[in-house]
Amino acid sequence: MSSLFSNDEKAAYQAIIRDVHDSFSRPITGYKPITISSFTENTSHNYLYADSDPNITVTTNTVSGVFDARVKYLDVNVLSAYLQNIILNDAGIKKGQAVVQFKLDKNDYTTWLKDAEYIKLDDVTLKKISERRNHGLFNPTFVSVLFGEVV
């Protein structure tokens, strides 16, 4: 089936959207937990019988990464009743707390924001309160996610 736009026109429009993103995005720091398990051999451990367990050490560290995102502060009072219900009831956000929408590159979402425990923006800690939503003209190249303030 033929398209209204040639491949060159599609590429030009995608480049414009990318330029807008590059012009108005700002660096955001995301934090995600990483669990590290280490085993130390216990010479008195009998693997045939469960008389003693090997020494297993599990540590959880938080690593951070920086990605670029466009930031939009939302006023909860002007959102649709559906979004207000999700934000205020399901996510546990109270009126007056910050709600922020981040629009970022799909690869940055997959690398950092998908597993992020929280992010910091202007010395405010935010937690993820929505799933991702794809954006793009001809194929999804950006993702938007809602975050709410942690108090």
Side-chain angles (χ1 to χ4, degrees):
M1 182 173 182
S2 64
S3 175
L4 292 174
F5 301 104
S6 68
N7 288 337
D8 292 337
E9 290 173 324
K10 288 180 182 180
Y13 290 136
Q14 291 283 55
I16 292 169
I17 297 295
R18 171 61 61 190
D19 288 343
V20 168
H21 179 74
D22 291 342
S23 297
F24 295 104
S25 64
R26 58 187 278 198
I28 307 295
T29 304
Y31 299 88
K32 66 180 180 179
I34 293 193
T35 304
I36 301 168
S37 300
S38 61
F39 300 92
T40 53
E41 188 67 31
N42 184 354
T43 56
S44 64
H45 178 70
N46 186 338
Y47 291 96
L48 295 175
Y49 304 101
D51 58 351
S52 65
D53 291 328
N55 192 5
I56 301 172
T57 305
V58 177
T59 56
T60 302
N61 296 331
T62 302
V63 295
S64 65
V66 177
F67 54 90
D68 290 330
R70 286 177 277 168
V71 178
K72 180 180 180 183
Y73 292 92
L74 301 175
D75 183 2
V76 178
N77 297 323
V78 298
L79 296 176
S80 69
Y82 174 72
L83 281 177
Q84 279 186 5
N85 186 44
I86 290 174
I87 292 171
L88 296 175
N89 296 333
D90 296 346
I93 302 296
K94 295 180 178 38
K95 288 192 177 188
Q97 288 178 278
V99 177
V100 182
Q101 178 188 25
F102 292 101
K103 194 174 283 189
L104 64 151
D105 187 77
K106 193 174 183 180
N107 295 330
D108 289 339
Y109 173 81
T110 306
T111 305
W112 275 106
L113 212 54
K114 181 179 178 184
D115 300 323
E117 192 172 81
Y118 63 94
I119 63 170
K120 287 207 177 219
L121 173 69
D122 300 333
D123 294 328
V124 176
T125 303
L126 303 164
K127 67 176 181 175
K128 188 167 36 170
I129 60 173
S130 75
E131 294 300 317
R132 75 178 194 177
R133 190 172 141 215
N134 292 327
H135 296 278
L137 287 175
F138 305 105
N139 56 4
T141 53
F142 294 100
V143 172
S144 67
V145 183
L146 292 178
F147 275 75
E149 183 178 3
V150 176
V151 284

